[in-house]
Amino acid sequence: MWSSRLMFIMAAAGSAVGLGNIWRFPYIAGENGGGAFVLVYLGCIFLIGVPIMASEILLGRAGRQSPINAMRDLVAHSNANPLWQAIGWMGALAGFMILSFYAVIAGWAMSYLFQMGSGAFTGADAAQATTAFDALTDDVGAVVGWHTLFMAMTIAIAARGVGAGLESTVKILMPALFFLLVVLVIYSAVTSGKFTAGLSFLFSFNIEKLTWNGVLMAMGQAFFTLSLGMGAIMAYGAYMPKDTSIISTAATIALLDTVVALMSGMVIFPLVFANGLETAEGPGLMFVTLPLAFGQMTGGAFFGAVFFLLVTFAAITSSISLVEPAIAWLIERLKTTRTKAALVVGGLAWLMGLGSAFSFNVWEDLHFVNGMTFFDLMDYVSNNILLPLGGVLIALFAGWGIDQQITRDQLAVSPGVYQIWRFVTRFIAPTAVFLVFLLAFF
Ligand code: PFF
């Protein structure tokens, strides 16, 4: 059991807040034209994300074991169709695919930690920052090395189990990350001279810039950033105290997560405009903009190193939740040890991650569907297809499949709130997701 409600929030927020907020949100928003994308993203977070997160927590808490086995027991208890168990399997697969590229990007952040600390970016301009990023991603050895180190750390921590260690880590590091982001927002606001341009990019509603694929990306980002649709939150829900309110906890986590993402955007876009960079820079966006800020700030080498250290920790508290569903299942299924399970899951994800590591250098010109590199493909399939699909199945199961009494007991809210939750999970969320799939793909 988590020691308290606060600790569950910390762990779930530790899973939610990660590279998705600081690295992925700004670059995906930038590629999709800003404002309108952000609005769709916010809509998805609060209208679809929060009710689905509540569903995931409730299934986890009702099942009290790994998502795959929790699903099996809930299905049996509710006399539901065994096909619902696919939720557990698909989730483990999605987590595994996400971890494979997540470790590569987290590896970049670790490399930046040291580059920052060594003062490599002191006084750097946009051209130097771009060159430094290209130099890192071109260096296969370095990228694979950092990827390996990050994966090893994830395996080592996951092998010990999510417990006291995670709680105390998150309790200290999350507020520290938040504090540094506040400092960066203030820095961007005061010194860039382009703060309003940045804000207007993020918040002005330019519907012309948004495509149906952009809407799909906004939805995928909402699932990714909240760690939804693959059982991570379900796995943590298994440890949540019985008397804690699920819906208000889900809303709190979503709010925290959103604030961090928006703050990252408010740091990055003013820097983009002030330095003549491209909003559609791609996965390198945070890595070429933030060094500019730290490079000019007094004490920037120190603060920059601390910042990337915190990003690395934020990534680790997310990556251990990515492996948790698969590990918990292996332990139960094969009666194996946690260490062995962590090694198998992490090892396979490491191997697949090589494909993403190569996508920025030796496999740069290797394109799969629609000009996507291996990394693009992993990211696209897991975030834009598997997570929303998993999320909808979770919603449908919580709304239709499971014994209704379980959801009523678990949520323990007023009849009005319960009806709203039920209507959203039964009708609104599934319809919205399928409509977006339909419009984006056809
Ligand atoms: N939510 C994490 C982030 O924003 O970085 C990524 C993530 C973690 C996605 C766990 C999915 C998940 F199950």
Side-chain angles (χ1 to χ4, degrees), residues 228-268:
L228 286 186
M230 55 146 283
I233 296 294
M234 205 190 286
Y236 282 5
Y239 306 96
M240 191 196 206
K242 178 77 194 87
D243 53 354
T244 305
S245 156
I246 289 180
I247 292 186
S248 63
T249 306
T252 309
I253 295 164
L255 195 67
L256 268 173
D257 187 84
T258 304
V259 169
V260 174
L262 293 180
M263 286 200 327
S264 306
M266 286 158 66
V267 173
I268 286 174

Side-chain angles (χ1 to χ4, degrees), residues 15-21 95 98 102 223-228 230-233 257 318-319 321-322 387:
S15 167
V17 175
L19 296 174
N21 308 64
I98 295 174
Y102 206 80
F223 279 91
F224 180 72
T225 194
L226 293 178
S227 306
L228 286 186
M230 55 146 283
I233 296 294
D257 187 84
S318 300
S319 69
S321 75
L322 282 164
L387 293 186

Side-chain angles (χ1 to χ4, degrees), residues 153-209:
M153 283 161 51
T154 300
I155 294 173
I157 299 174
R160 294 183 169 184
V162 272
L166 177 64
E167 289 189 7
S168 43
T169 316
V170 177
K171 191 164 63 179
I172 299 167
L173 297 175
M174 295 269 297
L177 179 66
F178 195 81
F179 173 76
L180 264 192
L181 269 176
V182 172
V183 171
L184 281 173
V185 172
I186 296 172
Y187 174 86
S188 240
V190 174
T191 66
S192 70
K194 292 283 183 194
F195 196 56
T196 34
L199 289 192
S200 106
F201 178 77
L202 269 177
F203 298 114
S204 63
F205 187 74
N206 283 328
I207 190 79
E208 322 82 63
K209 290 194 191 157

Side-chain angles (χ1 to χ4, degrees), residues 140-432:
V140 191
V143 172
V144 171
W146 290 112
H147 163 61
T148 308
L149 185 61
F150 184 83
M151 197 63 90
M153 283 161 51
T154 300
I155 294 173
I157 299 174
R160 294 183 169 184
V162 272
L166 177 64
E167 289 189 7
S168 43
T169 316
V170 177
K171 191 164 63 179
I172 299 167
L173 297 175
M174 295 269 297
L177 179 66
F178 195 81
F179 173 76
L180 264 192
L181 269 176
V182 172
V183 171
L184 281 173
V185 172
I186 296 172
Y187 174 86
S188 240
V190 174
T191 66
S192 70
K194 292 283 183 194
F195 196 56
T196 34
L199 289 192
S200 106
F201 178 77
L202 269 177
F203 298 114
S204 63
F205 187 74
N206 283 328
I207 190 79
E208 322 82 63
K209 290 194 191 157
L210 195 64
T211 59
W212 280 112
N213 191 54
V215 173
L216 175 68
M217 305 278 282
M219 186 172 81
Q221 172 63 15
F223 279 91
F224 180 72
T225 194
L226 293 178
S227 306
L228 286 186
M230 55 146 283
I233 296 294
M234 205 190 286
Y236 282 5
Y239 306 96
M240 191 196 206
K242 178 77 194 87
D243 53 354
T244 305
S245 156
I246 289 180
I247 292 186
S248 63
T249 306
T252 309
I253 295 164
L255 195 67
L256 268 173
D257 187 84
T258 304
V259 169
V260 174
L262 293 180
M263 286 200 327
S264 306
M266 286 158 66
V267 173
I268 286 174
F269 288 109
L271 292 168
V272 168
F273 294 117
N275 292 283
L277 292 162
E278 291 289 330
T279 50
E281 168 76 32
L285 185 64
M286 113 178 193
F287 294 96
V288 299
T289 47
L290 295 185
L292 296 172
F294 288 119
Q296 279 146 30
M297 198 182 278
T298 13
F302 172 75
F303 287 118
V306 173
F307 181 82
F308 279 97
L309 180 71
L310 294 172
V311 169
T312 304
F313 276 109
I316 287 185
T317 55
S318 300
S319 69
I320 55 180
S321 75
L322 282 164
V323 286
E324 188 55 27
I327 291 180
W329 177 75
L330 275 184
I331 296 173
E332 288 165 358
R333 177 67 209 252
L334 301 180
K335 306 265 178 289
T336 181
T337 61
R338 198 163 238 289
T339 309
K340 283 194 194 131
L343 276 169
V344 170
V345 177
L348 287 174
W350 176 82
L351 200 64
M352 206 153 86
L354 292 179
S356 291
F358 297 160
S359 296
F360 299 89
N361 37 68
V362 285
W363 284 2
E364 205 167 16
D365 298 318
L366 188 62
H367 297 295
F368 298 82
V369 267
N370 282 336
M372 285 194 247
T373 61
F374 186 85
F375 159 78
D376 295 330
L377 191 68
M378 284 295 122
D379 176 289
Y380 195 90
V381 171
S382 53
N383 297 325
N384 299 332
I385 300 173
L386 291 181
L387 293 186
L389 199 61
V392 159
L393 291 178
I394 287 168
L396 288 172
F397 182 63
W400 298 94
I402 198 178
D403 174 0
Q404 239 197 332
Q405 198 51 42
I406 297 183
T407 61
R408 219 178 263 122
D409 291 347
Q410 287 291 341
L411 293 176
V413 280
S414 67
V417 176
Y418 180 76
Q419 285 312 327
I420 295 176
W421 169 81
R422 199 166 151 77
F423 187 68
V424 173
T425 47
R426 294 186 119 189
F427 301 106
I428 306 285
T431 313

